[in-house]
Amino acid sequence: MAAISSAMAAGQNSDFLGLRLASTSSEARNANRRRLSLQIRASKSSPRLSGRPLRVAVIGGGPAGGAAAETLAKGGVETVLIERKLDNSKPCGGAIPLCMVGEFDLPLDIIDRKVTKMKMISPSNVSVDIGRTLKPHEYIGMVRREVLDAYLRERAAEAGATVVNGLFLKMDSPPAGSGESATTRYKIYYNEYNSKKSATGEKKEMEVDAVVGADGANSRVAKEIGAGDYEYAIAFQERVKIPEAKMEYYKDRAEMYVGDDVSPDFYGWVFPKCDHVAVGTGTVTHKSDIKRFQAATRLRACDKIAGGKIIRVEAHPIPEHPRPRRVLDRVALVGDAAGYVTKCSGEGIYFAAKSGRMCAEAIVEGSAKGTRMIDEGDLRKYLEKFDKAYWPTYKVLDVLQKVFYRSNSAREAFVEMCADDYVQKMTFDSYLYKRVVPGNPLDDLKLAINTIGSLVRSSALRREMAKITA
């Protein structure tokens, strides 16, 4: 894995199209660059705004929307954040890396648990304890999305953003090809639920200069700009209140289960929260069987969650790769709306918040702190920066999923590999600090040899089990 990470790091400046390298010829790439140079004006040529600041609508109030709205408001941009469910609780494992706590100045009281032990459990129930290489101050934070999301929205409001409880419906874009389109505002339509006039909400509209789509996997903003489709997984999660004595086991421990029974292409999890555990699984290839996989996950963890009571059931789509289009004119997608969830681990919270902040920073910079109109060139700077920083991470995890999640024998090899201290250190360093860590060449070679050995042994075990069950 470390060897793969190093190789991918070398290619981090390549075009990021989904999770694959661009296959276009050099002539096509040059033609595309010429086309963009004709369509995208330099930011410094954008007109100054007279008598008002730049106004941006952020659609969606999760980590991406909250982070974007706060950054915009602090940067002098008039900001309106529209969220349809202010009490929304997304079915999410809720794991955040250590670097996010510092980067986003998160208070420790919104972190339910500090996980320092991770148990990886193979299809044959062989378990490996992960976390031996963590330093005393290092941990994986476990949060509830309703708590984290509300905190980020409140902070955006304190910075000056207007938070609207509403449902975005559609928008009218400036006419293409018109000289006035560079300054003409977008008109967005939404239902606002703060009014007591109607239970279904009051229809409203608003004019804005730019739109940030942070409205999740089923993004309506993405549909408005023809962003294209992507493959998605279904995540299913149950919150289970277990006896206090059993909760002690999970106070600083999380579990991950792999195997065809819990998911043919993902994993099952038991993650600790404040007074309960989140038990869940996900799949891309067998969505109709998600409840069967969830039942298998509960069964695998049955001894440790015995006596528990299900207090909440949640399900939600999770994107599997970035959308073909993430920016158009003065509209940008961030977070799940853009498709920023990693394969293999299914992580999306950090990348959502980071993309929201990076997009907002590009708008603040391009608008000279809200005093100028922005253009597509400003938003593309956000894409270039995000892709350059995180393309290696996405690609490495994509490769790992294809190698180790393809069969039970490969999963057995994966769990066996996780027992290695070098693997654990490289994995945690990459996860906690969001960087692809270059490995030691000698240790990488040893790891490659051991990985091949694990795959061979696991394949042999699968053949022997087939003989027994035949």
Side-chain angles (χ1 to χ4, degrees), residues 15 22-33:
D15 293 335
S23 58
T24 55
S25 67
S26 58
E27 292 83 359
R29 286 195 295 271
N30 290 333
N32 189 50
R33 290 192 186 100

Side-chain angles (χ1 to χ4, degrees), residues 87 142 157 202 212 225 251 341-342 379 384 392 467:
D87 60 346
M142 290 291 169
E202 181 182 359
V212 176
I225 66 171
K251 69 177 182 180
V341 176
T342 60
L379 296 179
E384 292 167 4
K467 292 177 183 178

Side-chain angles (χ1 to χ4, degrees), residues 360-369 378 381:
E361 288 172 344
I363 293 172
V364 171
E365 180 181 355
S367 68
K369 296 187 175 180
D378 298 307
K381 290 178 182 177

